[in-house]
Amino acid sequence: MSALGEDLDEATYIDSKKTNHEPVDCSKTIDSIKTSMKVIKENQNKGTRDGFVTKQFQDAALLLNDSRSNITKTESSSEKSDMLRQLIKLSKDYQTVEIYCKICADILETGEGFGYPKINTEYIKPLLTMFDFLVHCSGVSEKLSGVISQDKSFLIKATKELEDWKDFQRCENDSTSKVIKAKKEGEDIVEMLCRLLHNISMFENNVPNVRGANCIGAMKPYLESENNIIQLLCLATLADLDKESECGSKSNIIKALMSTIAKVMEIGIDDDCSLKEIARIIQQVGRNDNNKRLVVEHGAIPLLVKITEDGNIEEQREAVYAIWGLSFDNKTEMIDNKEWKVISTLERLSKSPDKNVKLLSMKTLWTISNYQNRYGEQEEKVTASDNRHILISHNWGKQPMVKQIYDGIKQNCISVWMHVHNIQGATVKAMVDAVDQAEIVLVCHSYKFKNSYNCRAETEYAHQTKKKIILLKMESGYEPDGWLEPIIGNNLEFDFSGKDPLEKTVNDVIGAIQQELNRKNGVVVDVTKPIIQSEHEVIIAQRPSNQSSGKSKEIPVLPICLSLSFMLFLLLCLLINLACFNSSNTVCPYKECEPALPKPQPGMSDKTSKVNLTNGIDSAMNWTLSQVDEWLNKKILRKDMFLSTQRQLKTLRGKDIAFLKLLVNECPTTFYQTIREQLGMKDIQSMSDFRFAFEHIDTTVIDTDLHSTTQQFTSTSTRTVETTKVRLTV
C-alpha cells in the first residue's frame, strides 16, 4: 500500500441529495428491512402458476425498496452510514442478493413472450423491483457486488438479454403500440442491467468474472445507443473491463460522452443520473491511460470543477478523485489553462472540513505540481546518515503476503518501512518522506497496484528521484502495462505469485537487498537499528572490487577462522598442561571465561560429569561430514531458518563441533558471540536449538554406514580418562 490512503468505507458509497426530507426513523426503517427480507427468504421457492413469485414476495420486495430509499433521505451522515452497514449485514444474513439473482436469472430465461423482451408482462414489474435493489447493493458494497459477480448463471443470462435487445432494436421497425411498449419495457431492463454491470465492474476483484461472461462484446454496440444514460454506463463499464492493450482510439466516442454529460448537467440532474455518478463515470473512463488525454481534451476538467462548486461533499469527493486521476498525464494543461480554475479550486478544497476531500485535494495539487515544492513546502532532504530504510510500496489487497515479506526482512536486522507500521497519518508529506529516506524501494506490483493512484504517485516519485527499485510480482497472469510498464525496465524482479516457496523467495530478496546495500561505496548505510552483518554479507563485502577480472570466488572465511582457532586452542592446551606439573589449578584472568562445566546430575559424580564432557568432545572430533550433517538435520535445521544461516552450518566439520562444544562450557560469552556473528544466528529459536543440541553430544549415537567409525565411537566412550581442569584465556 502506498503511504497515501485512498480506500473509503464501503458504507460511504451512497447518493445524497441537497433536498430536504422528512426525518427518518432509523430503528423503524431497519426493522422494516429485516421483516421484508425474512418474508422474501420464506417465499423464495413459492412461485405461482402465473409467475415466479408470490404476492407476499412482491409486496415484501416493494417494501424493501421503499425502506432502502429512506436511507438516502437521512440527512445525518453517521446515521446514514450506520443504517447502510446494517442493510449490508442483513442482506448477507438473509441471502437476499443470492435469492434475487436466482429468480432474476429464471425470469430472463423464460423466452415465452411475443417479441422482445420475450418476458410475460406480469414478470417485468417484480424483475425491475429486484434489479433496483441489486443495483443499489452492488454500488455500496464490494462484498455484495462480489456475490452477484460469482453467479455465473445470472451473468450469462444478463449478457444474453443485452445481445437480444441489440438485435431487436436494430431490426424491429414496427411502430405499433405493442412494439413500442415492448421497446420501452426492454429498454428499462437493459438500462438496469447496464447499471448493475457498471457497479460490479467498479470493483477489480469482479472484473475476471464479468469478462468471462463476454459482457464486453455484449456492451460495445451500446456505445452508439440513442439513450444517453445507457451510452454513459457502457463506456464507463468497458473502461473498467478493457485492458490497456485492448483499448484503441475512442476519440469520437469520448467526445460524444463529454457532450452528453454537458447537456445532462445543463438541463439539470434528475434521479436517473446524479452529479456523483457523472464524476465517477468520468473517473472510470479516464482511469485507462489511453483515454486520459482524450477525456481532458474534450472538456472533462471544466465539468468536474463545476461539480465541485455545485455538488455536496460526496459529489466533491468523487470529482476531485477524478481530477487526480486525470492529472498524471495532464499536469501542464491543468497549470497553464487558467480558465479551468483547477489550482484555485483544489486550494480551496484543501481546506475542506471533510477530511477525504481535503486529503484528495492535497494529493492532486502535489501531483499536478510535478513533485516540486510549489504547493506545500517540504523539509530539507534527509541525508544518507539519517533513518535510512527499505520501503515497501504495495496495495492493500496483497497486505497479508507483504506482511510476511516485511517480517522476513525485519528478522534479518534490516530497517524496513511499510504503511501499516510506520505512518502517522495518511498525508502527502508522509509518502514523500518515506521515499526520500529509502535506500531501496520494493514495488509489489499487481493489477490493483497499477490501478491505484496512491501506488502510482509513490512509485513514479521513487522512479523520478532515481531510487533503486526491486520488483516483487504479486499476481500470476498479470504483465505490467500502462504507466507501470516503462518503470519496470530492466529492474531486478522476484516472483511472489506462487511459483516458488515463499521462504525461498524472501531469502532471495534479502540477499539482493544485502548486495545492494554493500555495493554502495562498500559501506552498509546507517539505519534506525544498525544492520547486523551476517556471514553472507561479510563474504560479499570482501569480494575484490576489480570488475574486469570477472566473478571472484567467495572466500571460505568461517572454515579458515575455525581451523586457526582450533590450532591455537591445541597450542594453549599444551602450554597449560606443561604448567600443570607444578600446579593443578590455573586461574583465568577474565571472569567471563570462568569454566562453566555442567553440574553433575543426581547420582553422578563430578568426575563422571567431566568424563562425559571429554567423551562428547572426543566423539565429535572424529565425526565425518555425513555425521555432522545428520546431527544438524536432527537437532538444529528447520524449514523456516534463513538460507544464509543454513549454508554456514553446512560448512562445519567434526573438529569445529568439538571446539564449539568445549567453548560453550569454557567461555559461553564467546560462544554466543561466535554463533551470532559468524553463523548468522540472530533469532532466539535458532540460538536455543543450537545451544541445547550440545547437551547430548556425549550420549548421542550418530547412525552411519561407516562401520569403522562406529567402532571408534564405542572405544572412545568406554575408556577412562583422567582430566585436568582446563581454562581458556580469551
Side-chain angles (χ1 to χ4, degrees):
M1 174 66 185
S2 161
L4 304 175
E6 71 184 29
D7 294 331
L8 304 176
D9 190 290
E10 68 175 6
T12 64
Y13 288 105
I14 182 169
D15 291 335
S16 61
K17 307 294 180 182
K18 288 186 175 181
T19 56
N20 295 323
H21 300 288
E22 294 294 328
V24 176
D25 188 329
C26 300
S27 178
K28 185 177 179 181
T29 299
I30 295 301
D31 287 342
S32 177
I33 290 173
K34 185 175 181 179
T35 301
S36 300
M37 290 182 174
K38 184 177 180 181
V39 173
I40 289 169
K41 187 169 185 178
E42 291 172 349
N43 287 269
Q44 60 178 309
N45 297 318
K46 298 180 182 179
T48 66
R49 184 183 64 179
D50 299 323
F52 286 88
V53 295
T54 63
K55 186 178 186 304
Q56 290 84 351
F57 185 101
Q58 292 190 53
D59 291 343
L62 289 170
L63 179 60
L64 176 59
N65 280 358
D66 290 340
S67 302
R68 189 268 306 163
S69 66
N70 284 337
I71 297 178
T72 65
K73 300 174 184 177
T74 305
E75 295 184 354
S76 170
S77 59
S78 60
E79 289 182 349
K80 183 189 302 181
S81 296
D82 182 62
M83 285 196 293
L84 190 56
R85 290 188 184 94
Q86 293 187 63
L87 171 68
I88 294 170
K89 182 180 183 303
L90 290 171
S91 297
K92 296 174 184 175
D93 293 343
Y94 286 97
Q95 298 180 309
T96 308
V97 172
E98 291 93 328
I99 293 170
Y100 275 11
C101 284
K102 180 182 182 303
I103 296 176
C104 287
D106 291 341
I107 293 176
L108 291 174
E109 195 178 24
T110 55
E112 296 176 355
F114 155 76
Y116 191 84
K118 297 181 179 179
I119 299 173
N120 291 336
T121 304
E122 60 268 23
Y123 301 165
I124 293 177
K125 184 176 180 180
L127 181 66
L128 293 175
T129 301
M130 288 184 283
F131 275 167
D132 185 44
F133 183 79
L134 292 176
V135 166
H136 179 78
C137 287
S138 61
V140 300
S141 169
E142 180 174 4
K143 291 181 179 178
L144 293 182
S145 74
V147 171
I148 301 172
S149 74
Q150 290 168 15
D151 192 325
K152 295 181 180 180
S153 176
F154 174 76
L155 287 181
I156 291 172
K157 289 166 186 176
T159 300
K160 181 66 166 56
E161 189 72 12
L162 291 176
E163 292 172 345
D164 289 347
W165 167 247
K166 171 197 66 178
D167 296 335
F168 175 79
Q169 188 182 36
R170 289 180 174 179
C171 301
E172 187 63 63
N173 296 318
D174 193 343
S175 59
T176 62
S177 59
K178 184 176 289 188
V179 172
I180 292 174
K181 181 182 178 183
K183 282 187 175 183
K184 177 63 173 68
E185 292 172 344
E187 191 169 36
D188 290 341
I189 293 173
V190 167
E191 183 176 331
M192 280 293 190
L193 287 174
C194 288
R195 287 183 181 277
L196 186 56
L197 293 172
H198 164 60
N199 288 347
I200 295 173
S201 302
M202 285 193 302
F203 300 105
E204 292 167 346
N205 286 336
N206 302 332
V207 169
N209 292 335
V210 181
R211 286 176 61 92
N214 193 33
C215 288
I216 294 178
M219 297 189 81
K220 280 186 175 179
Y222 291 97
L223 294 175
E224 301 175 3
S225 172
E226 296 179 359
N227 184 311
N228 293 333
I229 301 300
I230 291 178
Q231 186 185 46
L232 291 176
L233 293 170
C234 287
L235 184 58
T237 305
L238 291 173
D240 286 328
L241 299 178
D242 281 344
K243 296 180 180 178
E244 296 282 345
S245 58
E246 297 172 342
C247 294
S249 177
K250 293 188 176 74
S251 180
N252 293 334
I253 296 173
I254 292 176
K255 181 178 180 180
L257 168 70
M258 293 301 124
S259 176
T260 300
I261 291 177
K263 290 177 183 177
V264 171
M265 293 178 62
E266 185 178 350
I267 62 178
I269 300 299
D270 55 24
D271 291 337
D272 288 336
C273 193
S274 66
L275 286 174
K276 180 179 178 181
E277 189 167 18
I278 286 176
R280 187 179 293 178
I281 288 173
I282 294 176
Q283 186 274 136
Q284 287 175 266
V285 174
R287 191 173 70 177
N288 190 305
D289 288 348
N290 291 326
N291 294 340
K292 278 184 171 61
R293 286 197 171 274
L294 292 174
V295 171
V296 172
E297 180 183 331
H298 293 302
I301 300 301
L303 296 176
L304 293 170
V305 170
K306 183 172 176 56
I307 292 176
T308 66
E309 296 171 348
D310 299 342
N312 57 36
I313 291 296
E314 292 176 0
E315 291 163 345
Q316 288 177 354
R317 182 189 303 146
E318 207 68 50
V320 174
Y321 189 64
I323 293 174
W324 186 24
L326 295 172
S327 69
F328 285 99
D329 292 326
N330 298 277
K331 302 180 184 71
T332 303
E333 292 83 351
M334 292 187 182
I335 293 175
D336 294 343
N337 196 321
K338 306 301 181 183
E339 295 181 359
W340 288 353
K341 301 186 293 184
V342 176
I343 303 301
S344 59
T345 298
L346 292 171
E347 289 176 336
R348 171 176 59 83
L349 293 175
S350 66
K351 300 177 177 63
S352 170
D354 181 79
K355 64 178 182 179
N356 290 315
V357 172
K358 178 179 179 179
L359 183 57
L360 286 171
S361 300
M362 294 173 64
K363 294 176 185 178
T364 310
L365 279 171
W366 181 80
T367 301
I368 292 175
S369 65
N370 200 23
Y371 315 122
Q372 302 301 319
N373 294 338
R374 180 172 178 178
Y375 302 107
E377 293 295 326
Q378 298 179 15
E379 295 180 0
E380 186 176 350
K381 297 294 183 183
V382 183
T383 62
S385 61
D386 294 327
N387 297 332
R388 309 300 284 180
H389 56 236
I390 309 303
L391 171 63
I392 301 181
S393 180
H394 72 290
N395 177 269
W396 277 106
K398 300 295 181 182
Q399 184 152 310
M401 183 180 294
V402 174
K403 178 63 168 58
Q404 294 183 61
I405 299 172
Y406 171 92
D407 290 339
I409 297 174
K410 193 74 173 177
Q411 287 174 8
N412 214 50
C413 297
I414 299 174
S415 181
V416 58
W417 194 104
M418 66 182 286
H419 169 70
V420 71
H421 289 287
N422 305 75
I423 197 165
Q424 299 298 322
T427 63
V428 174
K429 184 178 183 302
M431 186 276 286
V432 172
D433 287 348
V435 175
D436 286 342
Q437 296 173 15
E439 280 296 325
I440 301 172
V441 178
L442 303 182
V443 174
C444 305
H445 66 83
S446 63
Y447 180 72
K448 284 188 175 182
F449 182 94
K450 178 255 180 182
N451 283 333
S452 167
Y453 297 158
N454 284 329
C455 295
R456 176 171 184 175
E458 188 171 70
T459 305
E460 286 190 340
Y461 181 54
H463 181 66
Q464 185 189 47
T465 52
K466 302 187 185 310
K467 296 292 180 180
K468 172 64 178 179
I469 292 177
I470 296 178
L471 304 166
L472 309 185
K473 182 177 181 178
M474 310 301 291
E475 183 178 317
S476 61
Y478 171 71
E479 295 299 329
D481 57 353
W483 66 268
L484 189 56
E485 186 175 5
I487 291 180
I488 296 299
N490 295 321
N491 286 315
L492 190 62
E493 182 176 53
F494 296 90
D495 195 335
F496 282 88
S497 64
K499 182 179 179 181
D500 296 316
L502 180 63
E503 296 82 2
K504 177 184 181 302
T505 315
V506 170
N507 277 292
D508 291 342
V509 172
I510 292 173
I513 291 173
Q514 292 172 336
Q515 289 187 45
E516 177 61 23
L517 293 177
N518 283 279
R519 184 190 63 81
K520 295 188 174 183
N521 300 322
V523 178
V524 178
V525 297
D526 293 332
V527 294
T528 307
K529 292 184 178 180
I531 295 177
I532 300 176
Q533 284 184 289
S534 66
E535 182 64 25
H536 180 61
E537 290 177 83
V538 173
I539 292 172
I540 295 175
Q542 293 185 4
R543 290 178 180 174
S545 59
N546 186 2
Q547 300 296 326
S548 62
S549 61
K551 293 185 177 179
S552 58
K553 295 184 179 179
E554 295 184 355
I555 302 174
V557 178
L558 180 61
I560 293 175
C561 291
L562 290 177
S563 298
L564 293 175
S565 299
F566 188 73
M567 293 174 64
L568 178 61
F569 163 72
L570 293 177
L571 179 61
L572 288 173
C573 288
L574 178 61
L575 294 174
I576 291 171
N577 283 319
L578 289 174
C580 285
F581 281 110
N582 298 321
S583 175
S584 62
N585 192 15
T586 303
V587 179
C588 175
Y590 295 97
K591 289 186 178 181
E592 64 269 23
C593 290
E594 192 69 28
L597 296 175
K599 295 181 179 180
Q601 300 297 321
M604 180 184 295
S605 66
D606 183 61
K607 181 177 181 180
T608 303
S609 176
K610 295 176 181 178
V611 169
N612 286 341
L613 172 62
T614 304
N615 288 346
I617 294 174
D618 289 345
S619 297
M621 182 80 71
N622 294 285
W623 281 0
T624 64
L625 292 178
S626 62
Q627 290 171 320
V628 172
D629 186 63
E630 184 175 355
W631 179 72
L632 290 172
N633 288 330
K634 284 185 176 181
K635 299 290 185 180
I636 300 169
L637 295 180
R638 311 185 315 273
K639 290 183 178 179
D640 60 344
M641 181 178 286
F642 283 110
L643 294 179
S644 58
T645 300
Q646 294 185 41
R647 285 195 293 268
Q648 302 309 321
L649 289 172
K650 293 287 187 179
T651 63
L652 295 176
R653 305 166 303 170
K655 290 182 180 180
D656 304 327
I657 300 297
F659 172 69
L660 291 170
K661 168 72 174 176
L662 180 64
L663 194 63
V664 74
N665 289 282
E666 292 292 336
C667 194
T669 302
T670 304
F671 170 79
Y672 290 116
Q673 183 179 358
T674 300
I675 66 173
R676 181 177 181 85
E677 295 182 355
Q678 298 197 32
L679 296 182
M681 291 188 183
K682 303 179 181 68
D683 62 282
I684 293 176
Q685 187 176 2
S686 297
M687 295 176 71
S688 63
D689 288 349
F690 194 65
R691 167 62 184 86
F692 291 115
F694 285 94
E695 292 293 332
H696 306 291
I697 282 184
D698 53 325
T699 59
T700 301
V701 178
I702 302 298
D703 295 330
T704 178
D705 293 332
L706 301 177
H707 181 67
S708 60
T709 306
T710 304
Q711 289 180 335
Q712 185 178 7
F713 282 163
T714 304
S715 173
T716 305
S717 63
T718 56
R719 64 180 177 172
T720 303
V721 182
E722 288 296 330
T723 60
T724 302
K725 191 173 184 181
V726 180
R727 300 184 181 185
L728 177 64
T729 302
V730 179

